[in-house]
Every structure is written in C-alpha cells, then in structure tokens.
Amino acid sequence: MCGIIGYTGSLVAKDVLISGLKRMEYRGYDSAGVAVQDGEGLHLAHRVGKVANLEEAVSGGFSQGTCGIGHTRWATHGRPSEQNAHPHTACADDFAVVHNGIIENFAALKEELIQAGHVFSSQTDTEVVAHLVEDAYQGDLLEAVRAAASRLVGAYGLAVVCAAEPGVIVCARKDSPVVVGVGKTGALVASDLVALIDETRDVVVLADDTFARLSYQDGRGSIRFCDAQGREIHPEPTHVDWDISAAKLGGYPDFMLKEIHEQPRTIRDTMAGRMVNGHLQFDELSLSVEELSAIDRVYIIACGTSYHAGLVAKNLIEAWSRIPCEVEVASEFRYRNPIVTPSTLVVAVSQSGETADTLAAIRDARIKGAKVFGVTNVVGSPVAQESDGVIYIKANKEISVAATKSFLGQVVALTLMAMLLAQVRGGLTINQIRMLFRELADTAGQVEQILADTSAIDAAAQACKDAASALFIGRGIGSTICYEGALKLKEISYLHAEAYAAGEMKHGPIALLHDGFPVIAVATKSPTYDKVISNIQESKARGALVVAIATEGDTEIANHADHVIYIPKVRDCFSAITASVPLQLFARSIAIARGCDVDHPRNLAKSVTVE
Ligand code: M6R
C-alpha cells in the first residue's frame, strides 16, 4: 500500500532514499517524504504527488546527512496533502516515523495522547506512533518503539529515527512486509527488497512482532534483532537471486509494456523443472498423494486479476479432475462462513503475497482445518509464509500497477496444479499430461508471435479510444478473460468497461448497445464458437463496433466483426494465455491514446495491504 525505506551508512541518505522510493512507487504515489538525520537534528521534506516532486524539493540545499527514512504513500487516513505525507513527527521534530499499514485503534490512542498534552498536526493514523515513541523514549529508541508497538492494534511496517541517536534506525513489523539487510555502504530497511538490491542480496524478512535496530559505525553497517519481549533473536538471512533489470525500464516506454513482453519468459520460467522423468513435480507442496487424493472441494481465493486467473483454473480443475471448484474474491470469502472442512483445498492466489483480504481468508481457512496452497510471485511474502505449501510463479518483479505477466504466470502455475490434481486422481493419463505440458510450453512461442505484430490491436484501440463504455463478451474460458480484459481497460484508461458471459447478453446488457458502442468479443475456436458468432451478430444488428479476438485462419469472422485480432491456434484450455495478451495491449494502447499514465493509474496502488 505504502512504501517505507531507511538507510544508515556512508552515502548521502537523501539520494539512497529517493532512488529506493522511486523503485517502490508502485506501492503508492499520492505523496512522498523523507527525514534525514545529521549533527543538527532531523530535516524533513514532504511533497504531494510522485517521488519526482520530492526529488526536486531536496535537490538544492537539503541535509547531506547519511541516515534517514523515506515514504511513498497511498492515502488511507487523511487526504493526500503535505500535512498528511510521511514521515510524521511527534510534538517536536525529534522523532520521525514512516509507516505502511493501518493502526486500527488510532482514534482511541490519539484521544488519550491529546488528553496527555500531545499536539497533532495531521489526520493520519500514523502520527500516533510518533507521539507514542516520544512518550516512551528514555534514551533507547529500540525500547521506545517496542513499547509503542505494544499499544498498537492493526498492521504496520515501521521505520523510526530520532535526533538523539545518530545513525540509528529502528524498525518493527506486524502484517506488513519489512525487509532489512547490511549492504556495501551501510544498513537498509524497506517494504520491498527491490529498494535494497543494489546494496545487498542477503536480506532478512522480518517476522511479525519482531524488531530490528540498524546502525552504522566504524565504516560498517550492522543490525540487531529482538522479539516483542526484547529478547535477542538471530533470524536467518535469505539470498535473493533476482534479476535487477526487472526494476529498470530497459528501453521500454513504460513498465506495463516491458512486462507484457516478459510474458514468454514468465511462462518458460514458471514451467521450468516441473516435468521430471515424465511426471509433474511439485516438491514444495507439502501434501502427500493420500492427502491430495482425499480433497473433495477446491476453493480458489484471490482479488482482482489474481481472481480472474482463478476463474480460468476452475474450468481446468473441474474438467480434468472432476473436483468441485469454487472461485471467490477473498473479501467475500472471509466474511461469509463458506463450507470449508479438512478435506477442502484452498488455493490462495496473490502476485504480491501481501493482499490483506487474501491473507485474512487464508487464516480463516486454516482455522477451519483446510490445507492452503499459496500461488505468489514474491519469495518469503506473507502468503508464502502462511500457506501449507507454495508455488512461486517466476514472473520476476512486477512494477506496473496493472498486472500482466503475473496473470500469465498465475494461469500457468494453476494449470500445472490442475494437471497435478488430475495426475493424482487419475483424471488424465500420464500421456495426456505430457502432451498438455508440451502444448502449454508452446504457448510461450505463441505469445511471442502475438507480440511481434500489434498493428491490428492498435488499429482496434484507435477505433475505440473515444468511447464512454465498452462491453467484453465471451463464453467458457473466453468469458473468464473478458473479466480480465475489462479490468485492464478500466484501471489504466478510466474507460468504463464491463464483462459478460456472452449468453447473458440478451438478459440485459444488450440494452446498452447503440451505434459505435464497442463490443470486444473473444471468439477463438472453441466448442462454443458458433454461439459467440451469434452474439456478435446480435451486437452488430444493434450498431455495435465489434472487435473480435479470433483464431488464425478463421476467415469467416471477418464477415461479422469490424476489427479482427488474430492469435495462434491453441487448445481451448490454453486460450486464456494467448487471448489475454491482445486484451492487455488493447487496454494499454487506449490508455496511451487517452493520455493516461499507464504504470500509475489514479487512486490505485500495486498491493492492497488494507481492507
Ligand atoms: O497482489 P495480488 O495479486 O493479491 O493483488 C490483487 C489485486 O489487487 C490486483 O490483481 C489488482 O487487481 C491489479 N491492479 C490488477 O491489474
């Protein structure tokens, strides 16, 4: 939701902080700020909007101190303004705090602190932390943060500095990611290791209710860890073998386009090592064959794009292993007492691995005795930590707020999981699985083919860019990716879009159609192809402008649609992979034509770590 960073070392802190904040800007871009410590105390700067505004503000005579904290915000409590931008200070500017998460009991704490004489200057929940630390401080910042944290209810990743302890940063974590590491020039903390990776690849992912004290002395950074009782702990570092190029544009105009082009590699990497001696291999799933065989229901829980990947998987799981599978948005699942038993398999899908609703749903499911598999892109993320087994999609860092390569990675991982269930339960023969595996691998090349010529997609986008609304229709797997196509269009171009199972058109949505109204139809060759053609004809009869995603070699469709975007022929069960790519490019092309910032859509952040 927000990005926090802290640095103590030999470099000018503001430069390290700004560069880290830029990399974490996908987490929020309502405002940004830094607090830098030097011999004269703490120096603060806040700006509304992107990190570039803050960078400009500190480019002149700002403190050259070598210890500081920074923040990029996605507003929850208090509108985006300089006043509400982090870091927040207490009554005097002696303590500064950056925070990612939500302090649920902040109103009661604020009231108590005001009664005790504290003066507040923002509407945020975070400011109470600064005042609590100020109250508790008796010469030891770590102890003061620990005491303050014991009063907090909610989620937090915190980094705190104080004027009285030069070169020291204290961090705390509860349900919000915090990563720390000692690098080449000092010690660092951040919400995401993307901000640390230039300095070190050996990091510690803080566990819940633990604390870290970062310092820099005699040319060396060091970190001390303790638990909520103040007992020293020694967590194991994790080595990160990530490709840093993921955090750079590498010649592309935006991360969304870059990440769309990384999809063939995502497919290959997610599949790598999964077929061993002709059998599917998932060593990291901790369930035995007996336990897998006993599963009588699958729930896929997720949000947004990850939910759409779940919709695709439902079709495959039910078709191949005949296990009933329900897909549910996590924010509903967690509040409605679903039928979950010890023989239920819950699959939690989350690119970031930190979506609050998905995490809460995982916890609920485990309390009810279900086994939980996580499917995530982020190693060591809360979803990975809290699941019984985890499959990592190998999409590498995804920066653009609009999920693209992670969607394809999720679809591939879930397809493999569906094959695994079918392998265990005998729904598919070994030969069928091997053949499907080969065809799944072939989709990487087919996506490359789509990416090689996007002229038909751009032409269709030009024709639709000025519309006020658009309808996406399809059937079967085709309908599932319509939901994803419509979401992509909405979130990056602000053009209203709705997805419908094409068979439902006549039950209401057809009333929307008029001359020139864009209908995007997924009409690939499938068992329901003829039905979709009928729906296209019905749309044309009402004056709609039809864009069809169709299978190469289908000349018939050109008689019905205004624009045809051809994609290579694949088996229907893999059509979500190929057909979603033109929908991503279509949405981006419209967004660019409408002058939108595709990587930073308004009101959004990459990870939703609050309810
Ligand atoms: O990190 P997660 O996969 O849990 O995130 C879920 C959604 O917030 C995410 O997919 C969102 O819908 C994207 N902006 C879609 O492009």
Side-chain angles (χ1 to χ4, degrees):
M1 194 55 65
C2 301
I4 67 166
I5 183 165
Y7 171 78
T8 178
S10 58
L11 304 178
V12 172
K14 67 165 185 174
D15 298 337
V16 181
L17 300 177
I18 295 285
S19 128
L21 289 176
K22 281 186 170 169
R23 287 195 184 161
M24 289 193 296
E25 205 162 27
Y26 69 89
R27 301 181 71 87
Y29 32 86
D30 289 336
S31 63
V34 290
V36 169
Q37 191 195 53
D38 60 22
E40 292 165 13
L42 299 182
H43 301 265
L44 289 113
H46 304 102
R47 283 295 178 274
V48 172
K50 291 196 172 175
V51 176
N53 300 345
L54 176 70
E55 183 176 29
E56 205 185 310
V58 297
S59 63
F62 197 74
S63 168
Q64 300 294 299
T66 58
C67 172
I69 54 176
H71 190 267
T72 182
R73 177 171 189 242
W74 186 85
T76 54
H77 293 73
R79 65 187 179 85
S81 66
E82 282 191 14
Q83 199 185 29
N84 289 331
H86 301 219
H88 288 288
T89 52
C91 295
D93 279 353
D94 287 349
F95 298 88
V97 174
V98 288
H99 167 221
N100 171 34
I102 280 199
I103 307 301
E104 288 166 12
N105 60 338
F106 90 99
L109 290 171
K110 188 170 176 174
E111 189 50 44
E112 177 191 316
L113 287 157
I114 289 172
Q115 294 297 327
H118 286 261
V119 178
F120 279 73
S121 53
S122 78
Q123 285 89 51
T124 64
D125 53 337
T126 303
E127 196 183 337
V128 296
V129 182
H131 291 274
L132 285 173
V133 172
E134 181 181 52
D135 241 12
Y137 189 73
Q138 290 178 350
D140 183 337
L141 186 59
L142 177 59
E143 282 308 299
V145 173
R146 215 164 54 76
S150 71
R151 304 286 322 277
L152 305 177
V153 176
Y156 49 84
L158 294 169
V160 187
V161 287
C162 76
E165 294 188 38
V168 171
I169 302 170
V170 171
C171 330
R173 177 208 157 130
K174 173 122 179 80
D175 289 342
S176 284
V178 175
V179 192
V180 296
V182 174
K184 294 178 282 203
T185 70
L188 298 97
V189 52
S191 302
D192 187 322
L193 54 87
V194 73
L196 271 61
I197 209 153
D198 281 343
E199 280 274 329
T200 179
R201 284 172 178 272
D202 295 303
V203 298
V204 169
V205 181
L206 273 199
D208 275 347
D209 299 312
T210 63
F211 300 80
R213 180 185 185 275
L214 284 59
S215 59
Y216 183 76
Q217 252 187 341
D218 306 327
R220 282 190 54 238
S222 66
I223 307 181
R224 232 171 64 206
F225 299 92
C226 73
D227 65 14
Q229 284 70 44
R231 292 178 297 229
E232 196 161 322
I233 52 170
H234 301 278
E236 274 298 304
T238 307
H239 183 75
V240 182
D241 56 4
W242 250 31
D243 180 0
I244 184 62
S245 66
K248 299 184 176 152
L249 276 170
Y252 285 91
D254 48 76
F255 280 107
M256 182 177 184
L257 188 62
K258 176 174 184 258
E259 289 162 2
I260 289 172
H261 279 262
E262 286 169 351
Q263 294 184 112
R265 194 178 79 183
T266 300
I267 297 170
R268 293 187 179 109
D269 289 353
T270 302
M271 293 188 72
R274 293 306 184 186
M275 184 64 84
V276 180
N277 298 328
H279 286 79
L280 285 173
Q281 194 78 30
F282 280 96
D283 288 342
E284 61 275 60
L285 298 185
S286 54
L287 297 197
S288 64
V289 171
E290 290 70 34
E291 285 171 308
L292 283 171
S293 307
I295 290 164
D296 60 9
R297 181 197 294 264
V298 177
Y299 263 115
I300 300 179
I301 49 172
C303 301
T305 288
S306 302
Y307 167 74
H308 298 149
L311 293 178
V312 177
K314 170 188 166 76
N315 284 271
L316 309 185
I317 291 171
E318 292 194 340
W320 292 341
S321 41
R322 311 305 297 160
I323 311 175
C325 174
E326 290 182 49
V327 191
E328 192 156 341
V329 286
S331 53
E332 291 296 319
F333 181 91
R334 62 181 291 195
Y335 287 117
R336 78 169 181 89
N337 196 15
I339 301 168
V340 173
T341 69
S343 52
T344 305
L345 173 65
V346 170
V347 182
V349 188
S350 173
Q351 185 285 131
S352 61
E354 54 175 305
T355 298
D357 283 321
T358 308
L359 275 170
I362 290 176
R363 290 170 193 152
D364 276 10
R366 293 192 73 185
I367 287 169
K368 291 184 167 122
K371 287 279 181 268
V372 177
F373 285 171
V375 175
T376 182
N377 193 29
V378 180
V379 176
S381 59
V383 163
Q385 286 176 348
E386 297 199 25
S387 298
D388 296 296
V390 61
I391 299 184
Y392 287 112
I393 60 167
K394 303 283 172 55
N396 219 331
K397 182 76 195 162
E398 189 174 65
I399 303 261
S400 180
V401 167
T404 54
K405 61 177 179 173
S406 64
F407 174 72
L408 248 61
Q410 288 165 346
V411 170
V412 169
L414 291 167
T415 302
L416 293 171
M417 189 186 283
M419 287 183 195
L420 177 76
L421 289 173
Q423 175 177 286
V424 171
R425 300 171 72 98
L428 293 172
T429 65
I430 286 296
N431 283 340
Q432 283 173 318
I433 288 174
R434 288 174 191 159
M435 181 190 66
L436 287 170
F437 189 88
R438 274 196 304 275
E439 289 184 26
L440 181 61
D442 288 344
T443 60
Q446 286 149 346
V447 170
E448 271 162 357
Q449 221 179 305
I450 295 167
L451 295 172
D453 179 8
T454 60
S455 52
I457 302 169
D458 293 333
Q462 275 303 313
C464 301
K465 71 177 178 19
D466 296 320
S469 186
L471 191 62
F472 286 68
I473 57 167
R475 287 172 183 254
I477 301 260
S479 77
T480 64
I481 52 162
C482 283
Y483 293 106
E484 177 55 10
L487 173 62
K488 284 292 88 93
L489 187 57
K490 278 186 272 215
E491 72 177 325
I492 60 169
S493 77
Y494 320 139
L495 193 162
H496 171 255
E498 210 174 325
Y500 251 91
E504 280 289 292
M505 280 265 288
K506 288 193 277 293
H507 300 284
I510 201 163
L512 289 168
L513 304 188
H514 54 71
D515 279 352
F517 188 105
V519 171
I520 295 84
V522 177
T524 48
K525 286 289 182 183
S526 75
T528 51
Y529 172 78
D530 292 339
K531 308 277 178 206
V532 178
I533 293 295
S534 300
N535 298 126
I536 290 177
Q537 285 168 331
E538 289 157 8
S539 305
K540 278 307 300 170
R542 272 93 190 159
L545 185 149
V546 175
V547 176
I549 313 289
T551 307
E552 230 165 37
D554 176 3
T555 47
E556 163 71 12
I557 193 131
N559 300 324
H560 308 292
D562 300 279
H563 291 265
V564 183
I565 298 167
Y566 285 110
I567 58 173
K569 185 170 171 43
V570 294
R571 193 182 286 272
D572 187 39
C573 58
F574 301 142
S575 61
I577 296 173
T578 45
S580 60
V581 178
L583 295 181
Q584 297 164 345
L585 289 162
F586 177 74
R588 177 184 173 276
S589 195
I590 289 186
I592 298 280
R594 289 164 73 101
C596 302
D597 178 347
V598 293
D599 284 340
H600 302 112
R602 68 184 178 208
N603 304 336
L604 291 177
K606 181 82 179 150
S607 345
V608 182
T609 55
V610 292
E611 258 196 82

